[in-house]
């Protein structure tokens, strides 16, 4: 691809240089030709004036002397004829040459001279410049100068060489620039291609063809790319990698789900057996029996949390194909519903719960069920750990492009060195009560992140804890 890009840039540079050099060369050749023609035309007019004076006075010695001096000085041939076409003065002109005869005839008829072609380095060594003698009413003869084009052609050749050297220099500069630019542009692409190939090689082999109508591969695999082969190879490798990552993610999620379901049945059977043995356990082993039962319940809760976390960490692009129109809700309405749902639990714990609404709809780009699932986690933590007499406030804020929902309480709070660990899996604070799994906030954070948002935890002065969920707002078109 580098060679193709370099060739394309070189061709473009060549066209640009030629588009500048060719008109410049032709313009100079035209200018130099006009300079030569104007100079020789002036000389021919001067000889015509002298010849006209000779025709009136009858003394041609001065004219012959002037023509001879001109021929000796410039080395150019001059011919002067009278009104009858007879030679009056001749300094080296071949009077029987057809071109000379035609030029004399045209001048004697006082015809407009033919335009002289633009001189080129390979043009004829001479050109004819003819002028009539006399006025437009009476023509008394003609003057023909056989002008040499050597100096003009030499100047044109030299100018063309200079322009050519400049053009070649510009081409070399453009080529070096194109080479540098191609390396600069394509080096990241080559690195990306290698990285994609290496990463794809480490992933499980992606499915290559659908097995059924419901198992069709993503649309990206069915694309037919255009462009250079290297770009198509990178795009196809990236698509294969994306499909492999999607399959790997789905396989991991399914593994967690299958494991949780597979372990849930034996745990349920174990719970039933423990319940049936409860009355047969002697008093001396009662504490051990209750501890074992608690561990079984904790393991069941942990499996449920792992299953929920696996689903929460699955992006919407892999988890659902529902339309975008269904993925929004009013955050204020969801907060009001959760306040009603948790009001009795907070009242039973001797706590207060209220909401602070923005006074206008706060549409977020998530479903109401997902937002409710996220809010239930901080509300449950506040209810369990804030302590009796705590006050919990759920506030909704609107920012440009974002909606924030904050659950803030003035309870016991969490030590400062533990706040940043609360969203870590299986972490439970030093003041946490028994029975938790340490997966609540990680699940809520995963749900928010999978929908393009974020969950953060911060301390409240003088005491308490605030959990803020920031989610993308619905864009109103």
């Amino acid at each position: 691809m580098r060679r193709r890009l370099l060739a394309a840039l070189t061709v473009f540079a060549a066209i640009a240089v030629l588009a500048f050099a060719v008109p410049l060369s032709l313009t100079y050749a035209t200018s130099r030709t006009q300079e030569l023609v104007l100079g020789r035309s002036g000389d021919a007019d001067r000889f015509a004036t002298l010849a006209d004076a000779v025709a009136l006075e009858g003394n041609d010695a001065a004219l012959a002397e002037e023509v001879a001096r001109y021929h000796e000085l410039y080395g150019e041939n001059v011919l002067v004829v009278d009104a009858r076409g007879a030679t009056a003065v001749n300094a080296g002109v071949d009077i029987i040459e057809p071109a000379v005869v035609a030029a004399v005839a045209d001048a004697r008829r006082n015809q407009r001279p033919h335009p002289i072609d633009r001189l080129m380095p390979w043009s004829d060594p001479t050109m004819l410049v003819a002028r009539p003698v006399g006025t437009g009413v009476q023509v008394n003869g003609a003057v023909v100068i056989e002008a040499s084009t050597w100096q003009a052609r030499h100047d044109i050749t030299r100018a063309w060489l200079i322009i050519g050297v400049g053009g070649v220099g510009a081409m070399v500069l453009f080529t070096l620039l194109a080479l540098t630019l191609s390396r600069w542009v394509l080096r990241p692409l080559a690195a990306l291609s290698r990285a994609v190939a290496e990463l794809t090689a480490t992933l499980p082999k992606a499915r290559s063809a659908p097995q059924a109508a419901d198992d069709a591969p993503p649309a990206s695999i069915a694309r037919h790319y255009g462009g250079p082969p290297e770009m198509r190879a990178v795009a196809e490798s990236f698509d294969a990698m994306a499909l492999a990552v999607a399959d790997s993610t789905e396989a991991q999620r399914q593994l967690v789900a299958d494991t949780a379901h597979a372990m849930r049945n034996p745990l349920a059977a174990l719970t039933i057996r423990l319940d049936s043995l409860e009355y047969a356990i002697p008093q001396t082993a009662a504490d051990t029996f209750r501890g074992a039962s608690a561990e079984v319940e904790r393991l069941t809760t942990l499996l449920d949390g792992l299953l929920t976390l696996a689903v929460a960490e699955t992006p919407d692009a892999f988890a659902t194909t529902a339309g975008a129109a269904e993925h929004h809700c009013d955050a204020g309405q969801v907060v009001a519903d959760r306040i009603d749902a948790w009001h009795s639990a907070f009242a039973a714990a001797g706590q207060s719960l209220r909401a602070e609404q923005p006074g206008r709809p706060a549409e977020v780009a998530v479903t109401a069920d997902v937002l409710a699932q996220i809010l239930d986690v901080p509300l449950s933590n506040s209810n369990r750990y804030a302590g009796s007499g705590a006050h919990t406030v759920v506030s909704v804020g609107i920012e440009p492009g974002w909606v924030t929902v904050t659950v803030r309480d003035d309870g016991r709070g969490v030590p400062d060195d533990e706040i940043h660990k609360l969203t870590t899996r299986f972490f439970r604070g030093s003041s946490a009560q028994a029975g938790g799994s340490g997966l609540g906030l990680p699940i809520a954070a995963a749900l928010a992140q999978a929908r393009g948002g974020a969950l953060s935890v911060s301390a409240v002065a003088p005491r308490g804890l605030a959990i803020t969920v920031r989610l993308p707002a619905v864009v109103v078109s």
Side-chain angles (χ1 to χ4, degrees):
M1 180 176 177
R2 178 181 297 174
R3 290 193 297 270
R4 292 187 180 91
L5 180 59
L6 180 60
L9 292 175
T10 303
V11 170
F12 174 77
I15 294 174
V17 170
L18 290 175
F20 173 77
V22 171
L24 179 61
S25 301
L26 296 178
T27 300
Y28 180 81
T30 301
S31 175
R32 188 64 181 86
T33 302
Q34 290 176 350
E35 180 183 352
L36 176 63
V37 171
L38 289 176
R40 297 304 180 266
S41 296
D43 295 337
D45 289 338
R46 182 166 59 87
F47 288 134
T49 302
L50 290 175
D52 191 36
V54 168
L56 294 175
E57 298 174 2
N59 183 12
D60 59 353
L63 175 62
E65 181 180 356
E66 187 71 21
V67 169
R69 189 183 305 115
Y70 181 88
H71 175 70
E72 180 181 357
L73 179 62
Y74 295 105
E76 295 181 350
N77 303 327
V78 181
L79 173 65
V80 181
V81 300
D82 58 17
R84 298 187 303 274
T87 301
V89 179
N90 186 0
V93 177
D94 185 1
I95 61 175
I96 63 174
E97 184 180 351
V100 174
V101 174
V104 170
D106 291 342
R108 290 179 60 206
R109 290 194 296 268
N110 199 20
Q111 292 184 351
R112 183 184 300 272
H114 297 290
I116 298 176
D117 294 336
R118 180 194 298 122
L119 290 177
M120 298 293 181
W122 53 86
S123 296
D124 293 334
T126 60
M127 69 177 183
L128 297 177
V129 178
R131 285 293 184 272
V133 176
T135 64
V137 178
Q138 181 180 0
V139 177
N140 298 323
V143 176
V144 177
I145 297 179
E146 201 172 46
S148 172
T149 61
W150 181 87
Q151 185 61 45
R153 289 186 293 111
H154 175 73
D155 294 342
I156 292 172
T157 302
R158 183 178 58 184
W160 283 20
L161 287 176
I162 294 174
I163 295 173
V165 171
V168 171
M171 281 291 300
V172 172
L173 180 62
F174 274 122
T175 302
L176 293 177
L177 180 62
L179 182 60
T180 303
L181 182 61
S182 64
R183 288 177 177 175
W184 179 71
V185 170
L186 297 179
R187 186 180 294 113
L189 179 61
L192 175 63
S193 179
R194 289 193 298 269
V196 169
E198 292 172 0
L199 179 59
T200 304
T202 63
L203 295 173
K205 186 176 181 181
R207 59 186 184 271
S208 58
Q211 300 299 324
D214 296 335
D215 191 27
S220 60
I221 299 301
R223 294 188 187 124
H224 296 284
Y225 293 99
E230 294 83 357
M231 291 294 294
R232 295 199 301 268
V234 171
E236 292 169 0
S237 297
F238 191 85
D239 280 344
M241 182 190 69
L243 182 56
V245 169
D247 287 347
S248 179
T249 302
E250 177 62 22
Q252 292 177 8
R253 188 193 68 81
Q254 192 62 40
L255 176 62
V256 173
D258 293 342
T259 302
H261 283 297
M263 294 184 66
R264 186 177 296 167
N265 292 333
L267 284 175
L270 180 59
T271 301
I272 293 174
R273 286 176 173 79
L274 287 175
D275 290 341
S276 64
L277 291 175
E278 182 177 3
Y279 299 102
I281 299 298
Q283 188 65 30
T284 56
D287 292 340
T288 302
F289 177 81
R290 284 192 292 272
S293 299
E295 288 299 322
V296 171
E297 292 178 359
R298 180 177 177 277
L299 186 56
T300 302
T301 303
L302 185 61
L303 288 175
D304 292 339
L306 286 174
L307 180 59
T308 304
L309 182 61
V311 175
E313 290 183 333
T314 303
D316 283 345
F318 297 147
T320 180
T321 57
E326 302 175 4
H327 287 182
H328 66 87
C329 66
D330 183 2
Q333 183 60 47
V334 175
V335 168
D337 293 341
R338 301 327 296 159
I339 293 291
D340 290 341
W342 283 93
H343 181 75
S344 58
F346 275 78
Q351 302 169 342
S352 67
L353 177 64
R354 64 183 180 88
E356 291 182 355
Q357 299 284 6
R360 57 191 177 98
E363 294 287 332
V364 291
V366 298
T367 62
D369 293 339
V370 171
L371 182 57
Q373 188 177 357
I374 294 174
L375 292 180
D376 281 344
V377 174
L379 288 173
S380 175
N381 288 350
S382 181
N383 180 246
R384 292 182 64 182
Y385 304 124
S388 178
H391 304 279
T392 301
V393 179
V394 184
S395 59
V396 180
I398 300 177
E399 305 173 4
W402 299 93
V403 173
T404 59
V405 182
T406 303
V407 179
R408 182 178 65 254
D409 64 60
D410 57 0
R412 289 191 291 266
V414 176
D416 292 340
D417 59 344
E418 295 183 357
I419 288 181
H420 68 282
K421 301 179 183 178
L422 292 180
T423 55
T424 304
R425 298 177 186 177
F426 306 111
F427 176 79
R428 304 183 72 249
S430 57
S431 60
Q433 302 176 5
S437 64
L439 291 175
L441 284 176
I443 291 174
L447 287 171
Q449 186 175 4
R451 274 77 184 174
L455 183 144
S456 59
V457 183
S458 59
V460 176
R463 66 174 190 170
L465 195 68
I467 299 175
T468 301
V469 181
R470 192 167 184 256
L471 295 169
V474 174
V475 179
V476 179
S477 58

